[in-house]
Amino acid sequence: MSDRSLTKKEQWDWWTTLIVALLVIMGVTNLYSAAYNPDRPFLFDFGTLYGKQIMWIGVGTFMGVIAALIDADYIRKLTPIAFGVVIFLLIAVLFTKPINGARSWLGVGPFGIQPSEFSKLTTSLMIAFLIAQGRSKQVSRKTVIFVIGLVLVTMSLILLQNDTGTFLVFTAFFFVMYREGITFDPIILFVFNNLLGFRLKRTWVGVHFIPVLFVVIFFSIITLYFTESVHRFSFLPGFDVPGWALLIAILTIIFVLAVVLVRNFISQRVRRRFISIAMIVYFVSIGFVGTISYAYLNVLQSHQKVRIDLWLGKIEDKDGKDYNRNRALAAVGSGGFSGAGYQEALLASPRSQHVPESETDFIFSVYAEEWGFMGSLLLVTLFTILLIRLVVIAERQKSRFARVYAYAVMMIIFYHFAINVGMNIGIIPVIGIPLPFFSYGGSSMMSFLMMMFILLKLDSQRKEVL
Amino acid sequence: MNLDSRRLVFLIMFVSVGVIFGIRLFYMQVVDDKWIERAGEVAKRKVDVKPPRGILYDRNGQKVVSNKTYYNLMFVEDNIEDLDTNAFSELIGISKDSIRKRFEAIRKSLDRKTKSKYTGNDTIVNDYRSYLPYAFLTELSADEVAQIAVDLPNFKGFYEEPMSMRNYPFPYGANIFGYLNEIRPHELNADRYFYSVGDFIGRSGLERYYEHELRGQKGVHMILTSARGRAVDNFADGKLDTNALQGPPLHLGLDIDIQGYGEKLMQNKLGAIVAIEPSSGEILALVSAPNYDPNLMVGARNIRKNYMKLYEDSLRPFFPRPLAAEYPPGSILKTVQALIGLQEGVIDEETGFPCNKALVGCHNHPNAQNVSQAIQFSCNPYFYYEVKRIIQQGKKESIFKDAAVGLELWEDYMNSFGLGVKPETDIYGLRGGVIPNVEFYNRWYGENRWAFSTIRSNSIGQGEVKLTPLQMANLAAIMANKGYYYEPHFVKSIGESGPLDRFTKKKYTKVDREHFDCVLEGMRKVVNEAGGTARRARIHDIVVAGKTGTSQNPHGEDHSVFMAFAPYDKPKIAIAVFVENAGFGGTWAAPIASLMIEKYLRGHISEESKRKEKRILEGDLIHER
């Protein structure tokens, strides 16, 4: 490979860079407001959180640029070493003193690192490395077991640190496996064929197990959230519509709409298949909503219901851990359409400190209160665009290593974004993980930046490798 | 299935999460107001701002009650950083030990007894919060604060906070203005909207009567508080705040110069002076002796120091003598007796009665040939005859029943002079005096067991009849007005609202105007002609009309009474002076009244009256006996 061909073939993705840069700038700007210290207003004051964050961004960018100077192939080859080092650190961290009940810090004083943050990067690389080793399109069973095993080992090390948030993020890798065709069908088939006596070659549920699971969890939460509520509509005077009935009505409307659309716009052959699938999905959904509702309303004891309601945030545990989220929700909600204005937050401001952890887990509440719905929508849109862009990047990779890695990065960012924002707007229980590029934290900031740099580097060389 | 198309699953997932978040954010931030309310509950605190109290001006526009800024030395425990107790003790001049004790006392003062929700036992809850400000030292004067202000910034967590307290430029009128002190629990419960613990409220006098006006309107400031409750900033840039509004000034009819002069004249004496402007009913002076400097009762520090001392003083400086001391009026009541007789037609202006000393004691004077002479000589037997004619008009067979009818009639007349009824003056602590009526004597002697002879002492203002000095002065005003009066009052106008309605209504007595002339003529002679009983009340170039009285006192020396008005032709001042244990009315009360009149009408005391003034000022009727 000559130097000349390298420059010719390298195509750096400036759009993604721009979006990430925008998010980083918004993040620092917001952190400056969230952690503002009137005695030290200088942005680059390294004694303040914003000063430190800028330092981390600098270090992260520096390390990212170094990674970007390395040839994609070397990155791939270095992967096992990097993974091994981080696993070693994950073990080492277990022998430290716990901080706030979690053993996740390694190092001295303020300059500690969190190996678990870096393990997201190295595990992504390692999975890509392992899956890319196979020559055929089908991943060998041995690789599958090896990959799953590695993920589970890393997850258990993180669980030992008592870091549930990061633990949960690791389930993102199952989506990556799904994209690569690693199915959970053998397990399903084993259950059906060996235990129940069926003779199936494969099941739809088993193949799409991960997204199905996602949808199931999503539906369960929505159902549990709405089932007990009562809705009134002006066009239905005198009727109190229970939440479960409303859900079924919505599902029916979606189904009818989908069928009508498909009938009119899609070819005959696809249409027939679609309608039968849609019918199955529709009836399964209704059955599912019905079952969950019934179980919640009639089977569960009241104290169990209370626990679920607390978890969902339907009822408030004002003195308990819901306190944080309630304050964050109040901050987000009081932002209004255009927000309180930069550095004008009442609740989430560092002056009043009503929202605990407003520099880390609840930093979105500061942003949402100060920039209102317009700002929040911009943030959500930027993240969504970034994710869609990452799908595009991932799918254009010729190297399997790069593609798997791209999917891993994409899903990790998605998990962080969805869980963090979801928790800040009260639709997901409190799970402490940072919002990428926004939350204060050196390890996570450096880890995310390096993830992006390595991805963009791999992407830039997509045309070289076959 | 083609694995490449699985990208769709991801795209759908990302877009749907983005859309759900967008909808949820729209609902939370734009549609649902719940969260804004929640934010208010969490971070908003109301802070009441109390304005300084309204100012009181006298009739000449002089400030008689104003405000002065004092300072509290406040602290917030959370903000105190390594307090150097040695230096602090030096700065505020309190020993280190006392500083520690003071902190403990503040904390302890916020203990509150309460019943435990769970056990039902009495428990003590402490409301002290280390993030809230408390006063370490209170009511520091500007001078005291100036001494510590320079070094105070060295002590983090301490700061001075201004506060408004009363100030009296003239050391007079304490009995009129009253004083403020800390609100009591039942008062607090009655108006929780305005007051809070530790507020000062009008406790007596005008401060109490006009509390509602003087206190003004409180302002409410919305403060953004931190999670620990500390005030951080204005809430919503102060858009929700309302401003405190100072109470309107009270313009008084009082003349602080003669009020002060009266207090000086009454020094070392017990009693009262009340002066009224007859044409308006405005009280020009209302002296209660002994009195005290109103500045002694400003603020909790002063009250702690002085209240018990004044309260336990055997001369009772807190007792509002002009309003509440009921004395036998003595001979000044003869003027009213004469007027009732004239109105009833039982005598006319020229009726004379012999000075029959066998009936009742009298001094040596010629027989009174007519009403004005009777007043001039203050002839006791004359009024026995005269009042007997009022009481025993012969309308009933039985003299007892007849007396009852007569007394009822007499009571009505007396009441129409404002006697025996509580005045509606704008101050608390008023009493109505005593005009004994039928019921009164029936209870005392039994029905049909009394007649005029039983109650005749009342004819000359002794016996059971009692008046307050305010009523006596009002009587003088009635004389000056020839038959009507305005309710005596202090406040001419609240702010610029003009005279109060209830004080602008003429109240007529039941005696017609034409009957007054001969009585007034008699009063003129009392002062100005030989044989009059109050020649000491004479003023050069000013015609004073008056009536002396000697109020018999079974417990000691008689009380000296005098009522008067002047000038005779166009009365501008009506006055009553009551000096306890001073003997004959002409000796002390009359000269005091004349000095007051001269001071008011001339603005100064003429050379001719200087000797009189000196005698009064030097007279000590308390300590010499």
Side-chain angles (χ1 to χ4, degrees):
Chain A
M1 198 178 340
S2 72
D3 284 339
R4 232 180 123 212
S5 66
L6 193 141
T7 45
K8 193 179 167 191
K9 282 173 184 169
E10 283 217 358
Q11 287 183 320
W12 192 265
D13 193 296
W14 289 108
W15 280 114
T16 313
T17 317
L18 188 72
I19 294 170
V20 171
L22 206 57
L23 286 172
V24 168
I25 289 166
M26 282 164 69
V28 172
T29 313
N30 188 48
L31 185 68
Y32 183 70
S33 172
Y36 183 71
N37 180 348
D39 295 335
R40 316 179 78 159
F42 184 51
L43 180 61
F44 297 95
D45 186 335
F46 293 139
T48 63
L49 291 189
Y50 31 95
K52 280 186 196 158
Q53 183 84 333
I54 285 174
M55 187 177 77
W56 300 130
I57 292 168
V59 175
T61 311
F62 178 73
M63 286 161 71
V65 169
I66 293 208
L69 290 176
I70 304 171
D71 188 81
D73 205 41
Y74 282 113
I75 293 176
R76 192 177 64 81
K77 281 171 184 162
L78 284 171
T79 295
I81 299 165
F83 181 76
V85 169
V86 170
I87 288 288
F88 172 75
L89 293 177
L90 281 176
I91 295 167
V93 89
L94 294 177
F95 297 97
T96 61
K97 261 200 194 157
I99 298 169
N100 296 332
R103 283 192 180 85
S104 47
W105 286 91
L106 202 65
V108 196
F111 291 102
I113 56 159
Q114 286 171 290
S116 59
E117 293 295 337
F118 291 100
S119 70
K120 291 168 196 167
L121 167 64
T122 53
T123 311
S124 304
L125 286 167
M126 194 62 196
I127 289 171
F129 179 82
L130 289 174
I131 293 176
Q133 272 188 332
R135 284 276 159 246
S136 71
K137 219 176 176 187
Q138 195 75 34
V139 187
S140 73
R141 190 159 293 186
K142 208 177 100 190
T143 312
V144 172
I145 292 167
F146 202 54
V147 166
I148 294 177
L150 257 179
V151 171
L152 289 178
V153 165
T154 320
M155 279 171 86
S156 29
L157 281 173
I158 283 159
L159 200 61
L160 285 173
Q161 291 182 18
N162 212 356
D163 185 351
T164 17
T166 310
F167 172 81
L168 207 68
V169 170
F170 271 69
T171 59
F173 293 126
F174 293 113
F175 279 92
V176 181
M177 294 173 204
Y178 167 72
R179 164 61 185 85
E180 290 308 312
I182 297 172
T183 90
F184 287 79
D185 210 23
I187 304 166
I188 306 283
L189 288 177
F190 175 81
V191 173
F192 273 84
N193 294 354
N194 296 21
L195 301 180
L196 301 172
F198 284 87
R199 286 183 185 283
L200 300 174
K201 274 190 179 159
R202 55 179 239 170
T203 61
W204 188 84
V205 173
V207 171
H208 299 281
F209 184 70
I210 291 301
V212 166
L213 195 67
F214 182 83
V215 169
V216 164
I217 290 170
F218 182 77
F219 262 98
S220 311
I221 291 175
I222 295 274
T223 312
L224 287 172
Y225 202 89
F226 278 102
T227 185
E228 216 175 23
S229 59
V230 170
H231 303 265
R232 293 209 170 108
F233 297 96
S234 51
F235 55 85
L236 274 178
F239 277 97
D240 287 343
V241 182
W244 58 267
L246 185 69
L247 279 178
I248 289 175
I250 290 171
L251 284 174
T252 311
I253 291 168
I254 291 173
F255 171 71
V256 170
L257 274 178
V259 168
V260 168
L261 281 175
V262 168
R263 265 180 95 96
N264 294 333
F265 297 107
I266 310 272
S267 69
Q268 184 93 31
R269 193 176 57 80
V270 181
R271 193 194 303 162
R272 200 167 292 154
R273 204 169 137 239
F274 173 84
I275 287 177
S276 54
I277 290 175
M279 293 264 286
I280 293 167
V281 169
Y282 172 66
F283 286 113
V284 167
S285 319
I286 287 183
F288 184 75
V289 168
T291 315
I292 297 264
S293 284
Y294 182 82
Y296 177 83
L297 293 174
N298 302 317
V299 180
L300 287 184
Q301 304 280 311
S302 63
H303 70 270
Q304 291 167 320
K305 274 164 82 171
V306 165
R307 198 165 296 169
I308 288 175
D309 289 351
L310 274 175
W311 186 72
L312 289 171
K314 272 167 74 180
I315 55 174
E316 285 171 20
D317 177 14
K318 279 190 175 164
D319 303 321
K321 70 173 186 178
D322 252 17
Y323 171 89
N324 295 10
R325 187 168 66 162
N326 278 324
R327 292 295 163 90
L329 291 183
V332 172
S334 61
F337 186 76
S338 52
Y342 186 58
Q343 289 201 319
E344 295 289 334
L346 290 182
L347 281 180
S349 74
R351 298 168 301 163
S352 61
Q353 297 177 329
H354 282 292
V355 182
E357 295 176 56
S358 62
E359 301 92 20
T360 53
D361 293 349
F362 289 105
I363 196 146
F364 179 77
S365 69
V366 182
Y367 178 84
E369 187 181 354
E370 291 187 347
W371 298 93
F373 175 67
M374 292 311 290
S376 308
L377 195 65
L378 174 70
L379 187 144
V380 169
T381 311
L382 274 180
F383 268 105
T384 309
I385 290 173
L386 176 66
L387 291 167
I388 292 169
R389 184 77 198 159
L390 289 179
V391 175
V392 173
I393 290 177
E395 289 297 336
R396 75 185 177 196
Q397 301 307 314
K398 292 187 177 115
S399 141
R400 197 169 196 181
F401 174 75
R403 188 178 68 217
V404 175
Y405 174 71
Y407 264 101
V409 169
M410 173 206 313
M411 281 313 295
I412 284 169
I413 289 177
F414 172 69
Y415 259 59
H416 275 265
F417 161 71
I419 292 177
N420 186 289
V421 174
M423 151 178 103
N424 271 285
I425 60 179
I427 53 181
I428 285 175
V430 176
I431 296 162
I433 58 171
L435 181 61
F437 313 118
F438 276 77
S439 292
Y440 171 74
S443 301
S444 91
M445 179 53 93
M446 289 193 289
S447 165
F448 279 120
L449 282 174
M450 285 170 70
M451 260 185 224
M452 291 310 301
F453 267 104
I454 291 171
L455 174 65
L456 290 171
K457 172 66 189 177
L458 296 181
D459 176 59
S460 72
Q461 286 178 275
R462 62 184 177 270
K463 290 192 174 143
E464 291 174 23
V465 202
L466 277 168
Chain B
M1 193 183 176
N2 185 3
L3 290 179
D4 287 347
S5 66
R6 289 192 177 178
R7 77 180 77 169
L8 268 175
V9 171
F10 290 84
L11 288 173
I12 290 169
M13 189 162 74
F14 298 157
V15 171
S16 53
V17 164
V19 169
I20 289 170
F21 280 10
I23 293 170
R24 169 71 179 171
L25 280 165
F26 184 77
Y27 179 73
M28 275 181 83
Q29 299 190 299
V30 183
V31 179
D32 194 358
D33 285 339
K34 177 174 100 184
W35 303 107
I36 293 176
E37 284 165 27
R38 176 78 54 84
E41 282 167 29
V42 167
K44 195 167 65 180
R45 194 171 70 208
K46 269 162 72 175
V47 175
D48 290 349
V49 181
K50 307 269 169 70
R53 286 173 80 85
I55 308 283
L56 274 64
Y57 293 94
D58 85 340
R59 66 187 298 109
N60 301 316
Q62 301 197 78
K63 261 186 202 170
V64 291
V65 180
S66 60
N67 296 311
K68 194 170 171 182
T69 305
Y70 286 76
Y71 298 86
N72 286 342
L73 178 62
M74 310 295 289
F75 72 94
V76 176
E77 194 186 323
D78 279 357
N79 298 350
I80 296 178
E81 284 171 21
D82 358 285
L83 178 65
D84 179 352
T85 38
N86 281 323
F88 190 63
S89 145
E90 208 165 289
L91 179 71
I92 61 171
I94 289 179
S95 76
K96 273 169 74 177
D97 202 39
S98 312
I99 290 175
R100 191 177 47 77
K101 278 186 187 148
R102 179 84 191 111
F103 277 121
E104 276 167 22
I106 291 164
R107 190 185 289 269
K108 204 149 195 303
S109 71
L110 287 144
D111 275 348
R112 180 164 52 88
K113 252 198 199 139
T114 180
K115 264 202 167 54
S116 164
K117 243 192 281 175
Y118 306 105
T119 60
N121 297 332
D122 276 343
T123 50
I124 286 172
V125 177
N126 189 270
D127 287 337
Y128 181 87
R129 297 287 176 271
S130 61
Y131 52 78
L132 290 180
Y134 295 100
F136 190 77
L137 297 175
T138 54
E139 300 174 7
L140 301 173
S141 68
D143 289 344
E144 286 172 305
V145 149
Q147 287 174 7
I148 62 169
V150 183
D151 292 320
L152 200 57
N154 300 337
F155 299 94
K156 279 203 166 162
F158 287 89
Y159 61 96
E160 74 257 22
E161 190 179 74
M163 61 176 295
S164 168
M165 294 206 311
R166 278 309 203 195
N167 178 48
Y168 304 90
F170 302 93
Y172 310 122
N175 57 310
I176 300 170
F177 308 136
Y179 62 94
L180 304 166
N181 83 12
E182 220 164 287
I183 193 162
R184 293 172 184 159
H186 69 272
E187 292 164 331
L188 188 61
N189 289 332
D191 190 356
R192 284 237 173 235
Y193 169 73
F194 190 87
Y195 299 108
S196 40
V197 178
D199 277 359
F200 273 60
I201 188 170
R203 180 64 58 216
S204 68
L206 297 179
E207 296 278 17
R208 179 171 168 214
Y209 195 90
Y210 288 103
E211 169 67 18
H212 206 79
E213 286 78 14
L214 289 172
R215 70 186 192 182
Q217 287 171 28
K218 80 168 181 183
V220 177
H221 285 194
M222 296 296 180
I223 301 289
L224 172 68
T225 58
S226 74
R228 298 211 61 199
R230 194 184 311 142
V232 174
D233 205 347
N234 290 335
F235 191 84
D237 287 334
K239 271 176 231 151
L240 305 169
D241 294 359
T242 54
N243 284 327
L245 208 65
Q246 186 176 16
L250 297 187
H251 298 282
L252 306 181
L254 190 79
D255 183 328
I256 195 67
D257 294 332
I258 69 158
Q259 171 73 25
Y261 187 60
E263 290 189 25
K264 273 187 207 148
L265 293 174
M266 288 300 283
Q267 67 196 7
N268 294 321
K269 298 165 195 74
L270 297 175
I273 303 174
V274 180
I276 295 173
E277 185 181 58
S279 60
S280 64
E282 288 162 15
I283 295 171
L284 300 168
L286 187 121
V287 177
S288 184
N291 213 336
Y292 60 93
D293 182 344
N295 290 303
L296 291 178
M297 292 292 281
V298 174
R301 260 169 105 192
N302 277 320
I303 289 175
R304 262 200 304 278
K305 201 165 74 190
N306 298 319
Y307 179 79
M308 283 319 285
K309 222 190 287 174
L310 289 166
Y311 183 76
E312 283 168 354
D313 188 332
S314 62
L315 300 175
R316 301 174 69 200
F318 280 140
F319 181 56
R321 285 182 166 77
L323 313 173
E326 294 171 326
Y327 301 108
S331 303
I332 63 169
L333 195 68
K334 288 172 183 168
T335 54
V336 188
Q337 305 286 30
L339 288 166
I340 298 171
L342 290 164
Q343 179 70 26
E344 276 296 296
V346 295
I347 55 164
D348 61 32
E349 287 174 25
E350 298 305 323
T351 306
F353 290 108
C355 181
N356 181 358
K357 293 199 181 62
L359 204 58
V360 56
C362 200
H363 54 105
N364 287 321
H365 62 81
N367 281 338
Q369 305 297 328
N370 53 33
V371 171
S372 71
Q373 276 185 3
I375 299 284
Q376 181 189 358
F377 303 144
S378 194
C379 180
N380 289 340
Y382 184 99
F383 285 96
Y384 268 44
Y385 288 119
E386 194 258 349
V387 175
K388 187 175 182 185
R389 287 196 184 177
I390 300 170
I391 305 293
Q392 309 278 200
Q393 291 198 22
K395 288 176 182 167
K396 296 271 177 187
E397 289 286 315
S398 142
I399 62 156
F400 303 112
K401 291 214 165 87
D402 193 36
V405 172
L407 189 69
E408 217 163 281
L409 191 74
W410 179 80
E411 187 199 354
D412 269 3
Y413 276 107
M414 284 293 173
N415 288 349
S416 78
F417 280 81
L419 311 180
V421 289
K422 204 162 109 174
E424 286 161 31
T425 302
D426 45 355
I427 199 161
Y428 290 105
L430 293 158
R431 301 194 65 164
V434 180
I435 293 299
N437 56 13
V438 174
E439 196 193 326
F440 180 94
Y441 286 119
N442 282 349
R443 206 167 36 206
W444 199 326
Y445 298 111
E447 211 176 326
N448 295 332
R449 299 193 53 184
W450 56 273
F452 171 71
S453 54
T454 329
I455 62 167
R456 60 187 190 175
S457 304
N458 290 317
S459 313
I460 56 167
Q462 312 294 345
E464 287 75 49
V465 60
K466 287 192 172 78
L467 305 183
T468 65
L470 178 63
Q471 288 173 317
M472 297 175 194
N474 194 38
L475 196 56
I478 293 171
M479 297 300 161
N481 288 337
K482 297 187 184 177
Y484 67 86
Y485 67 99
Y486 296 97
E487 201 62 59
H489 59 275
F490 289 102
V491 171
K492 279 163 74 171
S493 173
I494 297 171
E496 303 311 316
S497 66
L500 288 114
D501 277 351
R502 66 192 180 99
F503 297 138
T504 53
K505 291 193 181 80
K506 275 183 189 174
K507 295 194 167 180
Y508 284 93
T509 62
K510 292 191 164 173
V511 176
D512 295 336
R513 192 177 175 83
E514 72 246 27
H515 298 305
F516 277 84
D517 290 333
C518 63
V519 173
L520 298 189
E521 174 65 12
M523 285 174 71
R524 190 187 64 76
K525 288 178 185 166
V526 165
V527 180
N528 297 292
E529 284 190 12
T533 53
R535 291 176 305 274
R536 278 186 172 135
R538 209 175 292 172
I539 308 172
H540 186 65
D541 284 351
I542 298 173
V543 182
V544 178
K547 181 73 198 80
T548 54
T550 305
S551 164
Q552 282 173 11
N553 178 11
H555 309 294
E557 190 82 13
D558 289 347
H559 306 311
S560 176
V561 196
F562 186 66
M563 73 162 186
F565 63 85
Y568 183 69
D569 302 324
K570 210 180 162 205
K572 286 193 173 142
I573 177 170
I575 191 166
V577 178
F578 196 99
V579 188
E580 289 181 24
N581 315 117
F584 171 59
T587 330
W588 290 100
I592 291 174
S594 80
L595 287 167
M596 291 286 287
I597 290 169
E598 188 174 357
K599 178 84 176 171
Y600 179 65
L601 294 179
R602 283 221 176 96
H604 61 94
I605 300 298
S606 63
E607 281 306 315
E608 292 88 343
S609 308
K610 286 283 185 198
R611 254 188 63 217
K612 189 156 64 179
E613 182 187 36
K614 187 166 180 280
R615 175 179 159 263
I616 300 293
L617 288 174
E618 285 171 1
D620 184 342
L621 300 177
I622 298 175
H623 306 97
E624 280 173 7
R625 282 156 209 265

